[in-house]
Amino acid sequence: MRQPIKEVRYHKAAFTLAELLVSVGVLVLLVLLATQLLNSAATVTTLGHKQMDADSQARQVLDRMAIDFAQLVKRSDVDFWAKGTVAPNSVGGPMTGNDQITFYGTVPGYYPPSGSQSPVSLVAYRINSQSQMERMAKGLVWNGVSSTDTPIVFMPVKFSAAFPTSGSGSDPSYEVIGPQVFRFEYCYLRTDGTLSITPPTDVSGIAAIIADIAVIDSKSKVLLSNTQISTLAGQLSDCAANMVPGQLRNNWQNTLNANTTLPRPAVSGIRLYERYFYLSPPIL
Amino acid sequence: MKRLLRSRHHSFKGAALMIVLALVVLLTGIALAYFSRTTTDRQLAQSSYNDTSADLLARSALDITVSDLKQEIAIKPVTNGNIQPSRYGVPPITDPQPIPNLIRRSFSGDPTGRTSSVSSGAASASGRFISLARWNSHYLIPRASTTNSIDSTPVSSFTAPDWVLVTPQGPNPEPAPNAVMGRYAFAVYDEGGLIDVNLGGFPTYASLGRPTRPTRRLRPAYPLEESEIMLAACQAPGFTPNHVNASGHTGVPFSLTPNTNHNPTSFGPDILPHGLSVNPTTGNIYGTPTSPGSFTVTLSASNNCGTGTGILNLTIDGLPSPDTTPWPVNLARKGTVAFADVTTLPSTPTVITPTTPVGSMGNFFPTSQINKLMGWRNYATTQQPASASFDNPSFPLASADNYARYFLGATLPFTTGFTAVSTAVVNPPSPGRTDQALMTRQELIKLQRTIGFSQSLLQYLGTFSREQNRPAPDWPQTLAARWDMNYLALAIPDAWIVHPGHSGQGHAWGLQRHTEFAQRFGLLWVNGNFTPGTRLTDPNYYGHWHYIHTLNPCPANPDFFQMIDYAMNQAIGVVDPDHVRNTFNVGAALIDQYDTDDLYDPDPNPPTNGAAGNTITIIDYGGASYAYGIEGMSFDDPNFNSLRPGPYAPFPPPVPATYPLINRRFENVGEFGYAYNPASSTAGKTLDFASSTSHDRAILDFFTYNSAAVRAGTVNLNTRNGPVLASIIRGALLNDPSGENPPTALVSQQDALAAGQAIVQETANTGPALTRADVTRLAGAAAAAVPNLAASDETKQTIARALAEVGQARTWNLMIDVIAQTGKYAPGTPDLTDPSKFTVEGEKRYWLHIALDRDDGTVLGSQLEEVLE
């Protein structure tokens, strides 16, 4: 009776200690490798998603701008409030830091609840105090419909007279269009081929508006405070008169690369975009 | 045991399978989600790319189209054959269904040599095509339909433009299908031949007659024997009492109706303190005086037996208050096109040919729609009562100067041309001013939908116009700018503001800008010698002007007289031995007519001393030669100054009875035709602005009321839209209203339409106008076709007064309609015969409004309008 038991014990599968150690070691190695792989994959995926987030935001904002600039009323006898504009347009000034722009556009807007709607809106872009891009589309009614709603006007009536809060202040018509866009800068490509920070008096003398935006994805943004984002935005330089195409974006990238005060993951989540919005055929 | 082990073994296998499957599903899900987002992103990017590509293609197409136009502009000299952009792909003007606005369209065989034979009306692979109605969504082509339903389908004479196929090497009329990367088609329209809706057509007054105009004084009436005979037969009216004392206050409305007898039927106008007018029917003197002082006014009342006079001693207290210039002048600052009466635009028939009978035109703009279309656009109409609404505007004030103030919303001095583009700044901006802007054509079309006027009227209305305001460069001597006739205001005494009671003694005071006056006119003031006994014989008795420049040669920046002399002689190749005398006669006459209404001061001298008091312009132009202006009256004229019954200065000699004198500031350069020229060949001895051979015609091109370098609201004189010209002519006066208040002497609608048709025939058949001087030819053609215009020298020149300031011939105001599509032909497509093989990937449509100077190709202005459909 004892013999069969011994046989069973003899035939029972078993590993030696060495085998176990090797197998455990291999297992640990595999787990480590897998973890590394997963980490790398997660990092890549996260980065990809962050980039896609930023891309999506940028595309949304830039496409909206493309539509708005395409519908900008490009004639010399209506007001155009932008960087460097001078009389008879509203005086825009040099605009240090984030830029703003306001113009008439034939895009739908938010109209007053009553009255006959015209096809024209007052459109504006700016960065608010929360480092978010805002857009205004104030729908205008036909002249005479209302004694309080300002209609569409020719110069010499300017935005500053007709819409006192169109350039700054807390106009309720502004809405956040790019919560992750924290820097907005633009300059002009004139029809004579030069880059400029001052537009010609006649808006139709602008071949294109070159807009640069800096976007920080939502995951990176939580790593920074509003103050840090504002400070960083201030460090990204303004358009200068003697720049060449692409130089501003390059300057911004260099500034980001040289930054050592902010968490690297946050800085690396910032994406820069530049786009040309053509307003008129170049030869005109 | 084996069963148990087998069972456990299967369980493990199942679990492993489940885990594997779950992982596979998870991975698949992740992959799908990733690819899904990527695909969406890619589609968005592709869409954005196609949109951008089509945009670039459309802009390139515009560049090419504009370049073609600029190449035409490079052709010199400017002649009848090339003053306008060449027309192609357009039905001839003699076609039963002409398209007046269409300049050209792309079609196979056109002069560019780039256009393929593929029609834009042919369906592509997706079945899409550019319908005719879509090509006419701007309504610049006459509609086929006369119903009110929204339908822009054009008349059958319009053919859809053909595509210009674009390859990487550029446009090619017959490329290999696989080389095609996109295509575009275009049509070009003459937007300059339209009424600029932002300036044209002042609001029709719904509940009032036309606004009143200030009265003017009559020219001297010389006593006739017949009137004495008639006096014996019946009794002329008189004033009872014949002396009335009254007082008023500046800025306070004044009204007085003196008592009369013998039933006067009319009351003659007289000199009245500034701001007051007289009703010619009732004799009521009304208005708001602006100038303080004591005035002796001679009242006159007439019936068929004669005229009686009375004296009104009027004292106006208070301080001088600023006043506007006469309202027509103020309105003119907005551009005389503001007088265009758009009620003359017919909506039927939709197609107007140059030979369409006026009687068959109808369905004109109703007043209610004009009020809606034009009423809210002007500052005048923003001064609305609380009861007014968008659909029911109100125009409460009819007073002439109030009307002017409404339009301008400003006080003196008006120094900025209102129609100046870009630089027109009212300082300070008028509070509450809300000029309605129709900034795009799509906006105008949207307004049509809102208001509901006939869609056919859109073919007469534009939203963009510009003009280079300068004489044509091809006159013998190129002049940089037109002479600003507002400088005539320098001759106006400013006494009631600066020196009360001291004007009226000639024009010595001017506007206190003597240096500028000497520069602009070359005139210096010489005090009168007042030598006793020489008043009737010596021109130097009174103060007078002395000309200090020389007429020839004409400098680059000529003075008033040099410009007149150049226009009437060298410019047109005339050698007149008496040109110096004629030049100064005309110049003095113009100065005198322009300034008269400002001399309201009483004769400052006692009637007995015989000194001073003359207001006639006397110019000593050298060699003891004098030119005399034509004054409405002189203080020495016994017919107007009963306190001085003696003989008056015989300067100037009496003018013929047919001479039409105006006595106010000029509204536009056409009114220079009222200048008195003893050497004129016309019956009334005025300048001749109504014949093609006139020696005075160049004046129209050398002077201007609005001196802005680039102006808006001007109309192409060579337009083929007769009703457009008719709407401008309809707002013109056949005769200066004189005492007629309100005026009724406007050109009738029928005559205006007939004149517009005649002018289109003239420019289309005889030749287009080359400069504004050709307006005299157009006036002659209109007068030949319309009997009421041919009635007198004054009526003949109606066309010149209406069109000279508002017309232009040297700027191409065009609207280029371009549709561009990116895409490609299906692989293996053998040729271009099957348009359905083309796959459209992106599409863009633009309306480019552009103003090109015909002389140097300068882009005076442009507006790119992206069309959303």
Side-chain angles (χ1 to χ4, degrees), chain B residues 369-542:
Chain B
Q369 289 180 358
I370 295 294
N371 284 342
K372 292 177 188 175
L373 176 64
M374 303 292 179
W376 291 106
R377 196 206 56 224
N378 292 299
Y379 175 63
T381 59
T382 64
Q383 304 291 304
Q384 294 286 308
S387 59
S389 65
F390 177 56
D391 290 333
N392 184 29
S394 177
F395 306 99
L397 296 180
S399 171
D401 277 343
N402 279 332
Y403 186 66
R405 286 196 190 97
Y406 263 24
F407 265 86
L408 286 179
T411 53
L412 286 169
F414 303 119
T415 55
T416 306
F418 193 87
T419 53
V421 178
S422 282
T423 55
V425 178
V426 176
N427 189 20
S430 308
R433 179 178 179 152
T434 54
D435 291 55
Q436 178 75 60
L438 288 168
M439 298 184 286
T440 67
R441 185 150 190 92
Q442 292 172 91
E443 193 184 343
L444 172 63
I445 293 166
K446 175 75 184 295
L447 186 66
Q448 185 277 327
R449 302 285 192 270
T450 305
I451 293 176
F453 59 84
S454 169
Q455 298 160 75
S456 294
L457 297 174
L458 291 169
Q459 65 179 310
Y460 304 118
L461 302 175
T463 56
F464 187 88
S465 60
R466 299 286 185 270
E467 183 220 8
Q468 182 93 306
N469 190 13
R470 64 178 182 185
D474 42 13
W475 292 106
Q477 180 173 338
T478 301
L479 298 170
R482 290 177 169 136
W483 205 89
D484 183 355
M485 53 192 274
N486 291 288
Y487 287 128
L488 283 165
L490 292 173
I492 297 174
D494 207 16
W496 55 271
I497 292 178
V498 184
H499 296 282
H502 285 78
S503 68
Q505 302 179 45
H507 297 157
W509 296 105
L511 284 177
Q512 304 298 303
R513 292 157 69 182
H514 296 166
T515 302
E516 187 176 3
F517 193 66
Q519 290 171 347
R520 304 285 180 190
F521 290 82
L523 296 179
L524 288 181
W525 182 253
V526 179
N527 287 323
N529 58 30
F530 302 123
T531 304
T534 62
R535 184 166 70 93
L536 305 181
T537 55
D538 183 7
N540 294 317
Y541 179 88
Y542 299 105

Side-chain angles (χ1 to χ4, degrees), chain B residues 648-674:
Chain B
Y648 60 99
F651 316 119
V655 298
T658 52
Y659 172 67
L661 172 74
I662 63 169
N663 224 15
R664 56 170 170 77
R665 299 173 199 180
F666 304 124
E667 296 168 9
N668 61 67
V669 64
E671 291 190 337
F672 273 23
Y674 284 106

Side-chain angles (χ1 to χ4, degrees), chain A residues 216-232:
Chain A
I216 183 167
D217 67 90
S218 51
K219 285 192 175 67
S220 303
K221 191 172 184 180
V222 296
L223 301 175
L224 301 175
S225 66
N226 275 339
T227 308
Q228 286 175 313
I229 294 177
S230 300
T231 306
L232 180 61

